[in-house]
Amino acid sequence: MTGWLNINELEGINWLDKDTTRLYLVYNEKKIGVKFKRPRVKIKVMGAELTPHYRISVKVPVTIQENLKEISQTEIKHIVAAQVQKQIKRTFQKGLDLHTDVLNLSEKAYRFDRYHWTIQELNELTSDSIDSIKVKVTLVNTSAYK
């Protein structure tokens, strides 16, 4: 083991965990609070390169818990999508700093086509290994605006 990450640096793992049932996000700048119920993720492995590349898509059902400044639902969707992307990228980058596949992406590539890459190529993650992170936010409920 080459180091450790604290709980704040590991926030991005929650979006890729199939067992996640509820998550909460509080965005203090805009005074909003949202609850996520069962986010779903798909990781697509792109196999044309010397090393695998990944496209991550996350579907996030959202319930607005708090909206003190009465921000539009469209803006809330953009804020949530940006925060989810930021958390995933940050966790991935912190893992790269420790030379670790924190998001377990190489396992997807190994299952995708284990004979296409060597183990060394699978473990060669760079900041360019993730081609894109797409977040689709769906408003399920707006339980309490204030």
Side-chain angles (χ1 to χ4, degrees), residues 11 17 19 68 74 94 103 111 117 121 127 130-131 133 136-137 139 146:
E11 288 175 324
D17 185 6
D19 295 329
L68 296 179
T74 306
K94 293 292 182 178
L103 300 178
R111 289 181 183 266
W117 300 285
E121 290 170 338
S127 58
I130 296 179
D131 285 340
I133 300 173
K136 182 179 180 183
V137 178
L139 286 177
K146 281 191 168 183

Side-chain angles (χ1 to χ4, degrees), residues 8-112:
N8 294 329
E9 296 170 334
L10 291 172
E11 288 175 324
I13 287 179
N14 294 327
W15 303 108
L16 304 181
D17 185 6
K18 292 179 182 177
D19 295 329
T20 299
T21 56
R22 281 199 176 96
L23 291 171
Y24 296 91
L25 174 70
V26 176
Y27 192 68
N28 289 327
E29 292 175 24
K30 299 283 186 170
K31 304 280 189 212
I32 60 172
V34 293
K35 175 177 77 173
F36 308 99
K37 190 173 183 180
R38 292 189 195 102
R40 295 291 164 230
V41 66
K42 288 186 180 178
I43 300 172
K44 187 172 183 182
V45 179
M46 309 308 292
E49 306 286 330
L50 294 174
T51 59
H53 287 258
Y54 307 93
R55 290 187 182 158
I56 300 172
S57 62
V58 184
K59 291 184 180 179
V60 183
V62 172
T63 300
I64 300 173
Q65 298 283 314
E66 193 173 319
N67 187 2
L68 296 179
K69 291 189 176 179
E70 296 187 23
I71 297 169
S72 70
Q73 292 179 359
T74 306
E75 188 175 350
I76 289 174
K77 285 182 178 181
H78 290 296
I79 290 170
V80 168
Q83 290 298 310
V84 171
Q85 280 183 336
K86 180 180 164 186
Q87 288 178 2
I88 293 171
K89 285 180 183 178
R90 181 176 171 212
T91 299
F92 180 70
Q93 190 59 47
K94 293 292 182 178
L96 286 180
D97 294 345
L98 297 175
H99 306 292
T100 306
D101 183 9
V102 176
L103 300 178
N104 204 18
L105 296 175
S106 59
E107 183 264 341
K108 297 286 185 191
Y110 181 79
R111 289 181 183 266
F112 173 72

Side-chain angles (χ1 to χ4, degrees), residues 119-133:
I119 298 297
Q120 183 180 1
E121 290 170 338
L122 287 174
N123 291 330
E124 288 180 19
L125 292 174
T126 64
S127 58
D128 298 329
S129 293
I130 296 179
D131 285 340
S132 65
I133 300 173

